[in-house]
Each structure stands twice: as C-alpha cells, then as structure tokens.
Amino acid sequence: MSESGGAPAPVLVLAVGNPSRGDDAIGPELAARLEAAALPGVDVITEFQLQVENALDLVGRERVIFVDAGTGTPAPFELRPVAAAADFLHTSHAISPEAVLATYRRVTGGAPPAAWVLCVRGEKFDLGESLSAPAAANLEVAWRELRRLVDERLAHTTPEPWVTPP
C-alpha cells in the first residue's frame, strides 16, 4: 500500500540488491533516488531478493518495474517486458520477477499488472566493495530511463516494450 495508508499507487518499483556487495547496490540506489523524488502515484520497495510474498505488493497496481543489477547484462542496461512464469520450487527462497507474477496470478486468480525488468550492468559484486566506476556510469543512464518509464505511466502513456538506451 502507499505510504498514506490508502489504495496502492498505480506504479510500483521493486528494487533488488545488496548495498554491501559492490555493484549489487544499483537497485537500492535507484530506489533511493526515486523515493527522494517523492513522485505521486509511485511506490518504491527495496529488497535484498524477491520473495513469494512480493506477489501481494502487486495488488492494485497498473505497472510494476523490477530493478536489479546483472553481470551478463549488455551495458548500460536492458529493459524488457516480463510475464508470469512458474520457474521456482516451493522450497526456493529467492525467486525471479516471472515467478512473482505467477504467484500473483495463483494467489489472486487475476492477471498481474504490466511489468518490466530494468537490469543494469554491474561489474564487481564482492562483499564490502563500493560501486564501481562503470556501474556508476550505467546507473546514471538507467536513472534517466527509470524516470522516463515512471513519467510515461503518470502521463498515462504506454512505454515501448524494448528500449535501446541512448
């Protein structure tokens, strides 16, 4: 739900990552920037990893943007639509965005909200490392894209499903 305690905001940004593991801080850093922007109609949740419980965070949403860092991701980032797919075991602790959407469908009986994954390329994920210079540069480009996605929703337009960064 939104911080006001009312209905959930139409846009949810679900950022994943561990700020103590170098470039894995990309997701939480983008989430912090979005929270600081305090945009109406946007809720932000930061997690170390996705869980089945995150499916309940999608209730009442129109759009969900999963934000994470990736090692094999093309630089500076990849943006892709994501659909429900049951790709986890019941004993799994962390799950994919596809599995969160599938869990939503299973729990609510309804179609999940439109969803995208914004995966930003990271280089170093060692414990105790700070954000690497290449990841910091990728984060800046991804920040502009994340704002575009959120602003499009707030203006009630539909984003292009596949975006090539500038």
Side-chain angles (χ1 to χ4, degrees), residues 91-114:
T91 58
S92 178
H93 185 60
I95 62 174
S96 68
E98 292 86 353
V100 171
L101 296 170
T103 301
Y104 176 92
R105 177 174 283 148
R106 204 168 35 258
V107 169
T108 68

Side-chain angles (χ1 to χ4, degrees), residues 14-16 47-52 54 66 93-97 100:
L14 238 169
V16 181
E47 302 279 12
F48 281 113
Q49 55 191 0
L50 294 172
Q51 310 283 331
V52 293
N54 290 121
F66 295 92
H93 185 60
I95 62 174
S96 68
V100 171

Side-chain angles (χ1 to χ4, degrees), residues 13-14 16 23 26 28 41 50 54 59 70 73 76 82 95 104-105 109 111 119 124 128 130 135 141 144 157:
V13 174
L14 238 169
V16 181
D23 295 348
I26 290 171
L50 294 172
N54 290 121
V59 173
T73 304
V82 63
I95 62 174
Y104 176 92
R105 177 174 283 148
C119 188
K124 297 182 178 184
S130 59
V141 178
R144 291 190 300 272
T157 60

Side-chain angles (χ1 to χ4, degrees), residues 15-114:
V16 181
N18 183 342
S20 299
R21 297 193 67 86
D23 295 348
D24 203 31
I26 290 171
E29 174 61 27
L30 288 170
R33 288 181 183 198
L34 203 53
E35 285 178 325
L39 300 172
V42 179
D43 285 339
V44 180
I45 297 174
T46 304
E47 302 279 12
F48 281 113
Q49 55 191 0
L50 294 172
Q51 310 283 331
V52 293
E53 293 84 359
N54 290 121
L56 297 177
D57 296 322
L58 309 185
V59 173
R61 311 294 182 168
E62 295 173 15
R63 174 180 293 179
V64 178
I65 305 165
F66 295 92
V67 179
D68 200 1
T71 55
T73 304
F77 65 82
E78 175 185 44
L79 175 66
R80 63 181 173 85
V82 63
D87 65 349
F88 67 98
L89 301 173
H90 292 288
T91 58
S92 178
H93 185 60
I95 62 174
S96 68
E98 292 86 353
V100 171
L101 296 170
T103 301
Y104 176 92
R105 177 174 283 148
R106 204 168 35 258
V107 169
T108 68

Side-chain angles (χ1 to χ4, degrees), residues 110-134:
W116 286 263
V117 169
L118 177 63
C119 188
V120 184
R121 183 179 179 97
E123 303 290 331
K124 297 182 178 184
F125 293 82
D126 294 328
L127 186 61
E129 292 287 326
S130 59
L131 201 62
S132 70

